Amino acid sequence: MRFGIDLRALPVAVAAVALAASPAAAAPAGAGTRDAGALTRAAMAATVDLFPIPTADSNPQEIVVGPDGNLWFTERQGHRLGVVNPGTGQISEIPYAYEPDDLDEDYGPDDIVSSGGYLWFSHDVGRAISRIAPGGQIALVDSGRDNDGVTEDLAAAADGGVWQTDSIGEEVRRINGAATQLQRYPADYDDGPLVAVGDGSVWYGDSWRYLKHLTPGGQQVNIPVPERGAERMNSLAIDGKGRVWWAQYAQGGMTYPARGGTVGYLDGTTPRSISFDGDYLPHAMERGPDGLVYFAVEVEINDSKTGMLVRANADGSLAYASFGSYKIEDFTFAPDGALWFLDRGANTVGRVATAQLAYAGTPQQAAAPPTTPQPPAPPTPPAPPIVTPAPTKAPKLALCGLKARGSCRTTVTRSAVRVELTLDRRATVTLRAAPVRGAKTGAYKKISARTLAKGERALTWNKRIAGKAVKGRYRVSVTASAGGRSVTRTMLVTL
């Protein structure tokens, strides 16, 4: 069953960027800029250029080639859209935060795709989607307030719109190219990475269990994939042969790091998987201009984590190219033959000519470039000194107990759990829950994420996980994050 509703395009008063401009055009009016001088380092025959992002610790998420030929990326923590001129490397930033009328919250940009001559992006909390028109106007096309979920992924639809999955996992959504109609497709999934097909259909992942193929008419086929314990799908891509590839690894928890790693592809309807001997954490799958699928991993070599780009060859074998100490968060291929990538920890945009990348059959054989870049040449006139801000402390978070006295008290009713808490500052608060069997706590599932102001606040859980009602003893985990630091508190509840 599906139905559509009308959406309103709401103009947002921010700096406009003309998408029709050439890559060499001037930076957007009113946008912050960084001098185009870049840090460079040699990687065998390849040269990697590094362009620091002007906003410190901006938490860059995804990067795409825009309709204007520029590189666009999202800054979740910086609440900005970044624009890179590929000809000069100049970075411009556009402040943008979606603030609902009834909530004191900032929703920073997160996922971003190019579709139908527009750029579409989601926000780090809620299911809101905005888009940038060819003239540069930014409009909110869906507030997403009808659901407490968080956008998991976006994919370009054949009609110029977008497909969307969310953390609740009870429906797949599609907004048409005119941004006037929203179609909902009932579903049941976890995680939900997406990849669109040229015929208008879409594939999406269901945790470690299924690859699901959905048509605009609502027909769906589910194909089981080999189970790999706690590993969960995080990205999909389609190669030049039409094969669907997936990447997965086990997400980290409160007391254990992320681990493992598997990639695979569908040979017709038969899944073929490749497991890694170590915690490679494969992610960010993309189809390259040669029709092959590429993805990023992290490999421990000589007791040090090394970032690598992996190419999936036509015969299913893998080849590795080292990026040294730099870790690829996301990447994209530009028309000029360059690969552009984001390094979240280094707060940097990188560029390398794909023709210069040296691939090897194993990570250990891959040529590792130097890990310390040379400083840039001093600009003329000299730029003002960069002042490194003092590190911030983690926010103070306290959970109010079930038997606490006063107004700050957690309650469990027949339909919901209301977790009361106190914060010493504005922070992004994530609620998770895990079943408890005896003395063992199971895997945590994300329930919701919101940005809350200082003071006494509350989070509500409807006693459902992935759309299904749950019972018994559960450990509720609350994580507060601000300024790149986080703190977690847990409590036990009986449903």
Side-chain angles (χ1 to χ4, degrees), residues 136-380:
Q137 300 82 6
I138 301 180
L140 176 69
V141 298
D142 181 16
S143 67
R145 292 188 229 178
D146 58 338
N147 186 299
D148 291 332
V150 179
T151 296
E152 289 288 354
D153 203 7
L154 296 178
D159 67 349
V162 290
W163 293 88
Q164 179 191 32
T165 53
D166 62 48
S167 59
I168 300 299
E170 295 181 349
E171 65 182 19
V172 177
R173 296 149 55 96
R174 184 168 67 93
I175 299 176
N176 70 340
T180 57
Q181 188 179 52
L182 169 66
Q183 289 179 290
R184 305 172 185 267
Y185 302 88
D188 181 11
Y189 62 90
D190 288 330
D191 304 312
L194 287 161
V195 64
V197 186
D199 62 4
S201 62
V202 70
W203 286 86
Y204 66 99
D206 180 8
S207 190
W208 57 81
R209 299 169 294 195
Y210 296 95
L211 283 170
K212 299 184 176 182
H213 183 229
L214 175 65
T215 70
Q219 293 78 30
Q220 180 168 292
V221 175
N222 300 347
I223 299 178
V225 298
E227 183 174 338
R228 291 285 303 168
E231 292 188 359
R232 309 171 74 91
M233 294 184 196
N234 60 71
S235 61
L236 305 177
I238 299 178
D239 67 15
K241 293 184 176 181
R243 299 179 300 187
V244 181
W245 286 76
W246 75 88
Q248 62 187 73
Y249 64 85
Q251 304 291 328
M254 301 300 147
T255 58
Y256 53 90
R259 62 194 186 279
T262 302
V263 297
Y265 63 92
L266 288 182
D267 185 1
T269 58
T270 302
R272 312 286 187 189
S273 59
I274 305 168
S275 298
F276 296 103
D277 184 19
D279 298 327
Y280 281 27
L281 314 183
H283 59 281
M285 279 193 158
E286 295 284 347
R287 174 175 169 172
D290 54 6
L292 301 177
V293 166
Y294 294 77
F295 57 93
V297 297
E298 296 180 17
V299 183
E300 186 166 335
I301 298 177
N302 297 327
D303 299 322
S304 178
K305 285 286 188 180
T306 298
M308 290 196 172
L309 181 72
V310 185
R311 183 184 66 207
N313 297 319
D315 62 0
S317 63
L318 303 179
Y320 301 80
S322 174
F323 278 65
S325 62
Y326 287 88
K327 312 301 189 298
I328 303 174
E329 175 67 24
D330 192 35
F331 66 94
T332 190
F333 296 93
D336 63 359
L339 179 146
W340 291 78
F341 67 94
L342 300 175
D343 185 322
R344 180 187 298 175
N347 201 47
T348 296
V349 180
R351 176 182 62 191
V352 60
T354 55
Q356 296 181 358
L357 287 172
Y359 288 90
T362 68
Q364 291 72 21
Q365 294 171 348
T371 58
T372 304
Q374 296 298 315
T380 305

